[in-house]
Amino acid sequence: MGNLIDGKIIAEKIKEEVKKEIEHLKSKGIIPKLIAVSLGENPASMVYMNQQKKNCEKIGINYEILSLSENIDESGIIENIDRLNKNQEVSGIILQLPLPKGVDTRKVQSKISPEKDVEGVNPTNMGWIVYGKPFVGPCTALAVKEIINYLGIDLYGKEVVMVGHSDIVGKPVALLLVDKFATTTICHIGTSDAGKLEEHVKRAEILIVAVGKANLIPGDWIREGAIVIDVGINKVGDKIVGDVEFEKAKEKASWITPVPGGVGPITTAILLRNTVLLTKLQKGV
Ligand code: NDP
């Protein structure tokens, strides 16, 4: 039966290091400050931001929300981003998604200065992943890599299957692992529609799933002894579940992340780490 990968333990380890860095910054009179740009009233986003605020303040990062009207247009959002880019007191910018209809998300993300891009969504920071030199990358993708490092897995020649090809999870994860010479397959809707998802999943020594569909991966597809990293977050009734049929999958996996309590807490810790890394870069520390 699979061992549980406790995301909170890994997150705590990262936070300990971040805390030390923040103390060092404070000794130089520098306090990192994050600004979350939020558009309109979105209750889910509000819950998420309050959680971020709590996490930041606990560790010594100032956190403020910049609430903009949901009727603001693309150039209005970009003007606000520009202002934050120029503000020396702001260390990092988080852009809450989704943006209103008609606004080009990638264009707005590309306007966040790479030096303040704590979520690693600017094309420059994405590009560093392609070059195999991730500095601040998308937090969830780096969280997946952190789990693999924590387990001490040598990726060389391993069969990795990544289900989902989003810009912030699937694609960067695949690139990060390919760089360590894993044989990496990326599956997506085309794979499912071609009826081939099962055959790919069944040969995965490391399976990562980031889709957002509860029970997309039945437990009996899991290869004996596989490592299963489930990024998905789905609400089923009043429960939060991942994309993998957890109870059955854990009978076959050697290691498996629970949902919640797996990738999520590590993602948050990486956001804090990105903030500190960028603050140090900006201030030349
Ligand atoms: P996206 O919706 O951007 O991407 C989902 C991906 O899944 C797409 O590549 C999509 O392909 C693919 N897909 C959809 N249906 C299928 C299918 N039937 N078979 C195979 N692939 C499919 O989502 P994100 O990457 O942003 O997030 C994925 C999940 O991870 C969500 O549940 C989200 O809530 C969660 N998440 C969790 C985080 C954490 O910290 N734990 C952080 C970020 C996200 P196509 O585009 O071709 O349709």
Side-chain angles (χ1 to χ4, degrees):
M1 196 166 109
N3 296 296
L4 279 193
I5 300 168
D6 189 337
K8 286 182 205 139
I9 293 177
I10 303 172
E12 278 313 312
K13 266 187 70 172
I14 298 168
K15 284 191 205 169
E16 281 304 310
E17 286 159 27
V18 172
K19 220 171 177 171
K20 279 188 211 146
E21 300 273 15
I22 290 177
E23 273 154 25
H24 181 58
L25 284 168
K26 277 192 177 153
S27 73
K28 296 185 174 299
I30 302 163
I31 299 177
K33 181 169 169 178
L34 265 183
I35 304 283
V37 179
S38 164
L39 290 109
E41 298 285 319
N42 179 341
S45 186
M46 221 40 229
V47 171
Y48 184 59
M49 285 188 291
N50 283 334
Q51 224 164 6
Q52 275 180 348
K53 187 173 165 69
K54 238 171 52 194
N55 274 301
C56 284
E57 288 175 351
K58 208 164 153 192
I59 210 161
I61 296 173
N62 288 340
Y63 185 98
E64 282 177 20
I65 298 170
L66 173 65
S67 292
L68 302 176
S69 155
E70 62 190 336
N71 298 321
I72 194 168
D73 63 7
E74 193 173 279
S75 62
I77 304 172
I78 292 172
E79 268 170 37
N80 276 282
I81 301 267
D82 275 344
R83 204 167 39 76
L84 296 173
N85 283 338
K86 288 181 190 133
N87 185 338
Q88 303 264 336
E89 281 177 21
V90 175
S91 330
I93 302 166
I94 299 172
L95 184 64
Q96 295 295 331
L97 300 182
L99 299 181
K101 271 205 179 103
V103 177
D104 181 342
T105 301
R106 283 193 178 145
K107 183 173 171 191
V108 176
Q109 287 173 330
S110 75
K111 301 294 178 187
I112 299 172
S113 159
E115 290 197 1
K116 297 196 177 184
D117 174 30
V118 287
E119 293 182 296
V121 292
N122 177 288
T124 300
N125 288 323
M126 289 277 192
W128 283 112
I129 294 182
V130 177
Y131 292 159
K133 294 187 188 308
F135 180 55
V136 289
C139 304
T140 309
L142 294 181
V144 169
K145 184 70 197 329
E146 208 63 48
I147 291 173
I148 291 169
N149 290 349
Y150 177 80
L151 295 177
I153 308 296
D154 179 7
L155 286 166
Y156 200 91
K158 286 274 184 322
E159 285 286 343
V160 173
V161 174
M162 172 73 238
V163 186
H165 71 149
S166 70
D167 294 347
I168 59 156
V169 190
K171 285 185 209 166
V173 163
L175 286 169
L176 288 166
L177 304 190
V178 154
D179 264 340
K180 300 293 171 202
F181 297 100
T183 306
T184 308
T185 305
I186 308 179
C187 300
H188 39 63
I189 193 71
T191 322
S192 279
D193 287 348
K196 292 181 178 165
L197 188 60
E198 177 176 356
E199 92 187 43
H200 287 293
V201 168
K202 280 189 164 167
R203 50 176 188 75
E205 294 175 282
I206 301 174
L207 174 70
I208 305 142
V209 190
V211 171
K213 287 190 180 152
N215 295 326
L216 175 72
I217 309 293
D220 59 7
W221 286 9
I222 305 299
R223 178 170 167 169
E224 205 66 54
I227 293 163
V228 178
I229 301 176
D230 190 351
V231 179
I233 301 175
N234 308 288
K235 201 156 186 246
V236 176
D238 53 5
K239 274 184 78 179
I240 300 289
V241 301
D243 292 342
V244 178
E245 191 191 9
F246 180 77
E247 289 304 328
K248 277 196 187 158
K250 84 168 190 268
E251 299 300 321
K252 298 186 85 180
S254 59
W255 289 96
I256 185 165
T257 53
V259 179
V263 178
I266 311 170
T267 299
T268 308
I270 301 279
L271 178 80
L272 304 175
R273 188 172 75 189
N274 281 351
T275 304
V276 165
L277 283 172
L278 290 178
T279 306
K280 285 172 66 182
L281 181 77
Q282 289 158 31
K283 303 292 180 190
V285 176

